[in-house]
Amino acid sequence: MLSAEEAAALARRHGLRQVGLRPTLPAYLRDVWGHRHLMWSMAKGEFLSQHQDNYLGILWAVINPILLGVSYYLIFGVLLDLRRDVDNFVSFLTIGLFTFTLISAALTSGSKAVLGKVGMMRALSFPRVLLPVVVVLAELVSSLPAFAVLLGIAVVSGEPVTLKWLLFPVALVIVSVMGLGMSMIAARVVHAWRDTANLVPLLVRLLRYVSGVFFSIPARLAAVDGVPVVVSVALQYQPAAVALDVVRETLMASYPLQWQTWTAASGWALLFLVGGFLLFWRGEGTYGRA
């Protein structure tokens, strides 16, 4: 019978490692990179599984935001007359809805990424952070037709095509990275405290109503007297709000490019990505346990 030292040496020689232990951060990063092909395959499977039971398939990624946009336009644009606050309310509203749909999908689906793959984690050895990454990649691919339609809506609604439209893909990358960071944080928190899964829909609804999806935050703040500066800055520069603004600044003439918005959005994206990755990595040895 092998001694403990001999067994450990044999395992190292054949590239085996003990399960249920958290690897070092450099080793974890190498492992993630080494499984990049698996990540793309899993993302493809996730994308196909999302739409296999629908006759219209991926078209629902376009139809749902448009139907929601019509509803919001009637409620907030016509009944509450918030369209007076914004030039080209149609583009403003659709950009907000389509962009926020990507963020909310990443947050909602990402929170279930680990709990929904317990059997897979027990059967296969791979860095668990791939699970929220795969979810966000699948959601991004699902959203691409909707964003293509968004470009058409901007043109039809009267937005001129300018050079700053070239920054539209960059804005989508920033939004996606922000969503990925949120997804990793949500997956880790929900795995550690299962009851917090019930709070994710509430958080998504709260973000929808405070992030300027269907109203202009500066215009609404200007209409209210005595709003503290701290509250005003917090509302305008919170993550979801600046994520919507960077997309609007690329497509809408009435939204000029502002370095403050892009700096804030990029900063939030980097903070969520790094913070979310480190938080998720710290729980690596606990995923998949009963």
Side-chain angles (χ1 to χ4, degrees):
M1 182 178 294
L2 296 176
S3 66
E5 293 77 10
E6 290 172 333
L10 181 64
R12 286 193 299 270
R13 188 160 61 248
H14 292 280
L16 302 178
R17 67 188 184 193
Q18 185 177 349
V19 297
L21 294 180
R22 184 182 69 211
T24 63
L25 184 57
Y28 195 60
L29 290 170
R30 288 193 299 268
D31 200 18
V32 171
W33 176 251
H35 284 82
R36 62 190 182 279
H37 300 298
L38 173 63
M39 177 185 69
W40 289 112
S41 297
M42 290 171 61
K44 181 180 178 181
E46 183 77 20
F47 170 75
L48 293 175
S49 67
Q50 287 179 356
H51 304 286
Q52 65 181 359
D53 295 328
N54 297 324
Y55 289 112
L56 296 180
I58 197 173
L59 287 178
W60 282 112
V62 179
I63 296 172
N64 282 334
I66 289 178
L67 293 178
L68 192 60
V70 172
S71 302
Y72 279 169
Y73 182 84
L74 293 175
I75 296 172
F76 296 98
V78 178
L79 294 180
L80 298 181
D81 199 23
L82 294 180
R83 55 187 171 175
R84 69 181 185 274
D85 294 338
V86 182
D87 294 331
N88 195 349
F89 187 73
V90 172
S91 279
F92 176 89
L93 179 61
T94 52
I95 290 172
L97 281 174
F98 282 51
T99 305
F100 188 80
T101 296
L102 175 57
I103 296 174
S104 63
L107 185 56
T108 302
S109 301
S111 67
K112 307 171 186 175
V114 175
L115 294 182
K117 295 292 190 296
V118 174
M120 180 181 180
M121 289 187 292
R122 291 175 180 173
L124 300 174
S125 175
F126 62 93
R128 308 316 193 198
V129 76
L130 293 187
L131 296 175
V133 172
V134 162
V135 166
V136 175
L137 282 176
E139 294 293 349
L140 175 60
V141 173
S142 297
S143 300
L144 291 181
F147 284 116
V149 171
L150 180 61
L151 296 177
I153 293 175
V155 173
V156 171
S157 62
E159 291 296 337
V161 179
T162 62
L163 286 177
K164 70 176 187 174
W165 279 43
L166 296 174
L167 291 174
F168 179 63
V170 180
L172 290 188
V173 170
I174 293 175
V175 173
S176 300
V177 171
M178 191 183 298
L180 175 57
M182 292 179 178
S183 176
M184 289 188 288
I185 293 172
R188 174 75 170 95
V189 171
V190 170
H191 179 267
W193 300 283
R194 308 299 170 89
D195 287 345
T196 56
N198 298 305
L199 299 178
V200 174
L202 177 62
L203 176 60
V204 170
R205 285 195 295 270
L206 177 63
L207 284 176
R208 180 181 290 116
Y209 289 105
V210 301
S211 300
V213 175
F214 36 75
F215 64 90
S216 169
I217 294 178
R220 291 295 92 202
L221 289 174
V224 179
D225 295 329
V227 178
V229 176
V230 174
V231 175
S232 176
V233 172
L235 286 174
Q236 294 184 74
Y237 288 97
Q238 53 101 340
V242 292
L244 304 188
D245 282 345
V246 291
V247 180
R248 285 171 175 148
E249 288 180 10
T250 62
L251 299 181
M252 297 185 66
S254 58
Y255 272 71
L257 296 175
Q258 299 188 64
W259 67 266
Q260 299 96 325
T261 307
W262 287 77
T263 300
S266 301
W268 279 118
L270 184 62
L271 178 64
F272 279 121
L273 179 64
V274 175
F277 186 87
L278 292 177
L279 181 65
F280 195 94
W281 162 71
R282 289 184 62 84
E284 181 68 15
T286 66
Y287 306 129
R289 294 180 180 177

